[in-house]
Amino acid sequence: MDQVGTEPTTLPALSRPKGLLRWLAKDPLESDLSRRRFRLRGGAPRTVFGKAEQSYVFGFNAAISREVEKVEEIPQEQRPFGYEGAAAACTVLDLLTLTRGRRLHELLAGPAQHHRHAAYVGAGRGYALLRLRPVWGARRAHPLLRWLAVDGFGFQWGLSRTDRMVGERTMPDLLTRAHCAVFDQGLGRLLWYHDCASPDDVAARVASYPPSRRADLWSGVGFAATYTGGAEADELWWLTEHAGGDGFRAYLAQGCAFAVSARLRSGLLPDHLAQAVPILAGAEPDEAAAWTDEALIALGHEAHTHEDFQKWQSRIRGAWTRRHRY
């Protein structure tokens, strides 16, 4: 069987962690999603997802080895995934050492300052690794982006418990009602990985969940299809048909807009994203990213609650609806 990410990815060498830290380091083979019984077709999607998880594992181990600066040495397109892993490791270390988010804050204020979306998602993955409800560990955290930690929690929780989260479609008991919608956005991202960017399979998977959960799942699918990629243009067009047929076309576009905004702040617009945004959002990348900025500004400086986060996303969907009103 082919391995995920069979195309070689150049990653710097890391020092071996010392003492107890070596027990926290991840096995690079964790990036092989076939070990988790994901549906993995050959070709580009498998390579794309493998490289993303390779970079995540590398970033995690770089933080454990106290060599976060080496994340800057991996290919630029993969760097956000590296900082996602570094943030997960920093969160794990902060929680284990009761340092009130010191390492995560230093990462956000320093190397990951242009990758904050990825870092907050990574923080949520760190909470999930320790089976703890995501809370706001980073001091001076962004009042709304910090909700992305719940998204990351949903992705990692589903990754670690695929049979229950995807097969049985359960929800973790430790989440509050306010967390569940954002959790499902992270789970939606996982479904894009789980069904290997196949529009038919992803749509069928989303349709197996109760209607009350599908909007947020489609939002997560839109984010992953844009941010990570893995699908060709004709498949993306078919994905929009599925989302529209399910009644959640605006949610797919909102997830896409959020993804392009995050990628632009990272300083790079990958080719797959430039292809995906006009299809999924029906606009050029700069315009779709502007929807998120304008919606955030409209909320004002005091916005910080779950309701504010939902309003932010609702305003983005409103911008898409106005753009496509006939």
Side-chain angles (χ1 to χ4, degrees), residues 63 68 83 86-95 97-116 119-120 122-124 127 135-143 146:
V68 173
Y83 281 114
C90 288
T91 300
V92 167
L93 290 171
D94 283 336
L95 290 170
T97 57
L98 305 177
T99 49
R100 301 179 62 188
R102 176 180 59 81
R103 294 177 182 83
L104 180 59
H105 169 66
E106 291 174 353
L107 182 72
L108 285 163
Q113 59 184 305
H114 298 301
H115 304 275
R116 290 188 299 169
Y120 281 115
Y127 277 99
V135 294
W136 318 134
R139 294 168 291 178
R140 297 196 296 276
H142 188 286
R146 63 185 187 175

Side-chain angles (χ1 to χ4, degrees), residues 233-249:
D234 60 333
E235 294 174 311
L236 293 172
W237 281 116
W238 193 231
L239 188 68
T240 66
E241 292 294 322
H242 281 302
D246 204 15
F248 299 110
R249 177 67 181 86

Side-chain angles (χ1 to χ4, degrees), residues 16-26 60 64-66 92-93 96-97:
R16 193 170 183 178
K18 298 179 181 180
L20 295 177
L21 290 177
R22 70 180 184 273
W23 300 107
L24 294 177
K26 287 186 171 294
F60 189 99
I64 294 296
S65 300
R66 300 178 182 176
V92 167
L93 290 171
L96 292 177
T97 57

